[in-house]
């Protein structure tokens, strides 16, 4: 009885290679400005062309400024990168969703929202968080620059076989607990390397009840748990999300596609290489305190002592505490923050912005905090403005920015300075990730970021939310 991974994998297998790998056909190749210029150069140097331009879609996200988007950009390297993408797409006949398109945004936000991402696809992109698209029952993975070249040239990739771990999240989430807390919990339990060589299949009542936005948050961070791929079986939530989207099939073709999509779900008797169960009821709002996404505590817990963790993890805990300037045994609640960032491909969709706005409505950002909201796409920004969310954030003292990766990483003007501490809805808290080599990132849900922005320090969103609503 096959799992979804096996069904999709088999359907896209071109051939088995003598070294044990599979030559896999890639249904959709998503391209952005950072990992593609060299790949296009390599293609050009060999006299090759893009094999399937109509299966290749580009946008600009990592380097775009979110404050002043007038061209040419002040950052000449960013301007060069965007110029290269524009030229490469024009020459190859690849569709580019640029700043003027109205559909630009973070690559993992626009794929789903345009209906490009569909169940049963294989999807590759030169970005680690491509696993996001697995929320639709696609097999989606990040690739490096030389693989971007390979996919451009052949639409194929040589892939190692994957094991499948089913992670069943039973029960329901308590108020104030979000998809972000679920995936942080999974990573904390299984470790940042726990998923190496695996696809994570997310199942169970808590996942079944989630919206597509929430499922995307979960799948997005699969890679932070070491998994190559993370996915949720397609169901009626998936199908209704896709109905009417620009690139989804229309009319009768949609119904036929929907029937096929449903058939791709893992069979009830599918066998897994590993199975884990997690109780959703027991999860509490979670905050990372360290330098990888597995180093987290519940907001009402204290920071670990090196002696509390297995011997192999002790040096990592000591290093993280030292870098962060935190002390074992201290509570995470009450940690002062300097910056609050609601954004990134993990948590910058409309529902994330609604949750954050619900917390800040009628409140004001703490005087010592700079707070910004960066919608994941132009479409999210417009939809949020139609609901008046921009006003809620601006009135509360947040900056309301244009779509892009922004402060998730250090490739545009949005950066931490010095030892600043950032409450962030993004996905990585590695040293230097947000632009300052000594800057500090605490990952959490957008609602927790919003609550921290108002309080000026880490607080338990469950107590704040009780007053906000
Ligand atoms: S938001 Fe962050 S993780 Fe997502 S694509 Fe951009 S840089 Fe990568």
């Amino acid at each position: 009885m096959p799992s979804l991974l096996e069904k999709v994998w088999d359907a896209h297998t071109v051939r088995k290679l003598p070294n044990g790998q599979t030559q896999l056909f890639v249904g959709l190749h998503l391209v952005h400005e950072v990992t593609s210029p060299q790949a296009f150069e390599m293609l050009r140097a060999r006299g090759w062309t893009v094999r399937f331009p109509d299966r290749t879609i580009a946008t600009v996200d990592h380097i775009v400024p979110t404050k002043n988007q007038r061209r040419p950009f002040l950052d000449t390297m960013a301007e060069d990168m965007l110029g290269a993408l524009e030229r490469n797409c024009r020459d190859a006949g690849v569709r580019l969703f640029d700043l003027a398109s109205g559909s630009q945004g973070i690559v993992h936000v626009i794929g789903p929202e345009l209906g490009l991402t569909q169940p049963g696809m294989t999807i590759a992109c030169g970005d680690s968080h491509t696993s996001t698209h697995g929320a639709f029952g696609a097999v989606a993975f990040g690739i490096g620059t030389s693989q971007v070249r390979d996919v451009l040239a052949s639409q194929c990739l040589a892939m190692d076989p994957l094991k499948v771990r089913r992670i069943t999240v039973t029960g329901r989430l308590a108020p104030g607990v979000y998809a972000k807390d679920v995936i942080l919990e999974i990573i904390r339990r299984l470790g940042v390397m726990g998923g190496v060589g695996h696809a994570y299949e997310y199942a169970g009542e808590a996942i079944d009840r989630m919206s597509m936005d929430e499922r995307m948050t979960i799948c997005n961070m699969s890679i932070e748990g070491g998994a190559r791929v993370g996915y949720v079986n397609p169901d009626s939530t998936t199908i209704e999300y896709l109905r009417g989207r620009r690139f989804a099939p229309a009319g009768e073709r949609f119904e036929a596609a929907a029937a096929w999509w449903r058939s791709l779900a893992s069979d009830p008797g599918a066998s897994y290489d590993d199975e884990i169960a997690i109780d959703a009821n027991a999860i509490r709002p979670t905050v990372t305190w360290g330098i990888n996404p597995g180093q987290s505590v519940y907001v009402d817990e204290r920071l670990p002592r090196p002696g509390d963790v297995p011997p192999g993890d002790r040096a990592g805990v000591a290093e993280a505490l030292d870098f962060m300037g935190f002390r074992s045994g201290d509570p995470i609640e009450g940690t002062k923050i300097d910056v609050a960032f609601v954004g990134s491909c993990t948590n910058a969709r409309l529902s994330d912005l609604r949750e954050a706005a619900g917390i800040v409505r009628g409140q004001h950002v703490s005087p010592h905090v700079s707070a910004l909201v960066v919608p994941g796409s132009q479409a999210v920004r417009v939809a949020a403005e139609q609901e008046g969310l921009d006003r809620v954030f601006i009135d509360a003292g947040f900056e309301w920015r244009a779509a892009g990766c922004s402060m998730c990483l250090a490739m545009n003007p949005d950066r931490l300075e010095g030892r600043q501490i950032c409450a962030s809805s993004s996905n990585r808290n590695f040293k230097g990730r947000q632009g300052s080599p000594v800057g500090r990132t605490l990952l959490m849900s957008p609602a927790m970021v919003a609550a921290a922005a108002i309080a000026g320090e880490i607080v338990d969103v469950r107590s704040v939310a009780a007053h906000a609503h």
Side-chain angles (χ1 to χ4, degrees):
M1 300 293 240
S3 64
L4 177 139
L5 181 93
E6 291 169 85
K7 295 184 199 182
V8 177
W9 191 276
D10 288 351
H12 291 83
T13 295
V14 178
R15 61 186 171 129
K16 291 266 186 331
L17 300 171
N19 66 358
Q21 290 186 302
T22 300
Q23 184 185 2
L24 211 60
F25 186 77
V26 174
L28 175 65
H29 185 197
L30 298 169
V31 171
H32 62 85
E33 74 282 14
V34 175
T35 47
S36 68
Q38 264 179 297
F40 276 107
E41 268 316 311
M42 289 190 265
L43 226 62
R44 215 169 275 127
R46 287 170 173 77
W48 295 344
T49 54
V50 176
R51 183 71 183 78
F52 282 92
D54 54 343
R55 291 184 176 275
T56 313
I57 297 284
T59 191
V60 54
D61 52 8
H62 287 64
I63 55 92
V64 291
T66 61
K67 208 169 187 173
N68 173 3
Q69 297 193 323
R70 213 167 314 127
R71 301 281 299 273
F73 298 149
L74 292 174
D75 176 349
T76 52
M77 209 200 307
E79 180 60 34
D80 286 350
M81 271 189 185
L82 182 46
L85 185 69
E86 288 167 336
R87 270 193 313 282
N88 288 330
C89 288
R90 202 170 43 238
D91 293 352
V94 167
R95 190 193 291 261
L96 167 64
F97 290 106
D98 61 11
L99 293 171
S101 68
S103 300
Q104 171 267 344
I106 306 174
V107 64
H108 311 311
V109 176
I110 70 159
E113 106 195 333
L114 289 167
L116 289 161
T117 300
Q118 294 170 18
M121 281 184 165
T122 45
I123 300 178
C125 174
D127 183 272
S128 311
H129 296 87
T130 308
S131 55
T132 312
H133 306 263
F136 290 78
V139 172
F141 39 81
I143 54 177
T145 296
S146 58
Q147 291 174 306
V148 173
R149 171 204 62 196
D150 296 347
V151 180
L152 286 173
S154 68
Q155 205 66 25
C156 291
L157 270 178
M159 294 283 291
D160 290 326
L162 290 174
K163 294 181 180 165
V164 185
R165 172 177 294 145
R166 178 162 65 174
I167 302 175
T168 304
V169 188
T170 57
R172 297 186 182 191
L173 297 175
V177 181
Y178 297 88
K180 182 64 155 284
D181 302 300
V182 175
I183 189 61
L184 286 172
E185 171 87 10
I186 290 170
I187 299 169
R188 169 151 73 143
R189 292 243 207 126
L190 302 181
V192 290
M193 302 294 281
V196 170
H198 283 80
Y200 279 177
E201 176 177 310
Y202 302 103
E205 184 188 356
I207 303 290
D208 291 344
R209 294 173 62 86
M210 282 183 183
S211 67
M212 291 312 297
D213 285 9
E214 294 172 293
R215 293 177 185 180
M216 284 188 253
T217 299
I218 302 266
C219 289
N220 173 275
M221 289 189 71
S222 304
I223 184 75
E224 302 305 332
R228 189 83 176 92
V229 156
Y231 68 85
V232 176
N233 286 309
D235 61 7
S236 45
T237 304
T238 323
I239 289 163
E240 291 317 312
Y241 177 98
L242 285 168
R243 191 185 296 278
R245 302 249 165 204
R246 180 165 162 199
F247 290 95
E252 280 172 22
R253 286 179 51 240
F254 184 84
E255 299 310 326
W260 183 64
W261 293 339
R262 281 185 191 279
S263 76
L264 295 168
S266 295
D267 290 339
S271 61
Y272 296 93
D273 298 284
D274 191 24
E275 295 209 49
I276 306 270
I278 290 192
D279 176 11
N281 306 281
I283 301 175
R284 310 207 288 272
T286 302
V287 182
T288 65
W289 57 268
I291 50 175
N292 72 53
Q295 292 175 322
S296 64
V297 287
Y298 294 141
V299 64
D300 50 5
E301 282 184 308
R302 290 170 180 270
L303 303 188
R305 295 165 208 281
D308 296 344
V309 299
D313 294 342
R314 283 181 194 158
V317 168
E319 182 194 355
L321 287 168
D322 181 52
F323 178 82
M324 297 299 284
F326 293 163
R327 278 194 321 230
S328 303
D330 280 356
I332 193 77
E333 196 166 3
T335 304
K336 289 262 176 300
I337 65 155
D338 306 293
V339 178
F341 170 57
V342 176
S344 91
C345 59
T346 315
N347 278 127
R349 298 182 177 83
L350 186 59
S351 55
D352 299 312
L353 271 44
R354 284 183 185 147
E355 290 294 335
I359 301 293
V360 308
R361 193 182 301 275
Q363 312 272 339
H364 206 276
V365 169
S366 180
H368 69 272
V369 173
S370 333
L372 66 163
V373 180
V374 187
S377 68
Q378 292 178 333
V380 168
R381 187 178 145 105
V382 168
E385 288 176 354
Q386 281 166 355
E387 292 184 14
L389 302 186
D390 56 329
R391 282 298 354 145
V392 173
F393 286 117
I394 292 165
D395 290 348
F398 279 81
E399 290 186 59
W400 177 249
R401 297 288 189 84
C405 295
S406 182
M407 206 177 251
C408 175
L409 88 173
M411 296 193 84
N412 57 66
D414 304 339
R415 296 161 157 252
L416 294 187
E417 285 167 21
R419 290 285 280 159
Q420 282 183 324
I421 294 185
C422 179
S424 178
S425 70
S426 56
N427 47 47
R428 281 196 168 157
N429 52 346
F430 301 161
K431 291 178 184 174
R433 171 72 175 180
Q434 292 191 289
S436 163
V438 290
R440 295 169 287 175
T441 304
L442 308 185
L443 303 175
M444 61 196 79
S445 69
M448 281 285 287
V449 173
I454 302 301
E457 59 185 38
I458 301 302
V459 287
D460 188 337
V461 71
R462 293 172 299 181
S463 54
V464 177
H467 303 296
H469 293 296

